Amino acid sequence: MKEKQLSGMEAGKKGKVTRIEGTGALRRRIMDMGVVRGAKIEMMRDAPLGDPLEFLLKGYNLTLRRKEAMNVWLDLED
């Protein structure tokens, strides 16, 4: 598997979170939403202008700004 930023995923692709970068409140907020190491996540769609992005995570839809999603790295499933 290859590692990629969450912000660079294409619609319909799935992956498993490997690491979360950043510090302080932003990192804590992302983790509080369920984006933790080992979590499976699927890219659903992005907005017409590219921001925000929508993901399926643990049975719910999660919306993140592209800048926030750049802090999350994952291994893509083939």
Side-chain angles (χ1 to χ4, degrees), residues 14-17 34 36-42 56-59 74 77:
K14 298 178 183 179
K16 186 186 278 190
V17 177
V36 294
R37 208 162 122 198
K40 292 183 180 183
I41 192 164
E42 179 181 354
L56 181 62
L57 171 72
K58 297 182 180 181
L74 43 88
E77 295 179 359

Side-chain angles (χ1 to χ4, degrees), residues 39-77:
K40 292 183 180 183
I41 192 164
E42 179 181 354
M43 170 68 161
M44 299 302 286
R45 62 182 156 257
D46 58 350
L49 297 176
D51 208 18
L53 308 171
E54 184 178 353
F55 304 94
L56 181 62
L57 171 72
K58 297 182 180 181
Y60 75 94
N61 289 18
L62 171 68
T63 303
L64 291 174
R65 298 216 172 269
R66 190 171 295 276
K67 188 174 182 180
E68 296 168 336
M70 291 175 79
N71 291 298
V72 180
W73 289 83
L74 43 88
D75 279 333
L76 292 180
E77 295 179 359

Side-chain angles (χ1 to χ4, degrees), residues 2-60:
K2 65 179 183 178
E3 195 173 50
K4 189 170 191 167
Q5 284 179 310
L6 186 59
S7 61
M9 285 181 78
E10 299 171 8
K13 296 288 184 180
K14 298 178 183 179
K16 186 186 278 190
V17 177
T18 57
R19 62 187 159 115
I20 302 165
E21 296 179 339
T23 58
L26 174 62
R27 186 171 196 268
R28 171 57 45 202
R29 186 171 154 267
I30 290 172
M31 292 176 71
D32 286 347
M33 288 187 279
V35 182
V36 294
R37 208 162 122 198
K40 292 183 180 183
I41 192 164
E42 179 181 354
M43 170 68 161
M44 299 302 286
R45 62 182 156 257
D46 58 350
L49 297 176
D51 208 18
L53 308 171
E54 184 178 353
F55 304 94
L56 181 62
L57 171 72
K58 297 182 180 181
Y60 75 94

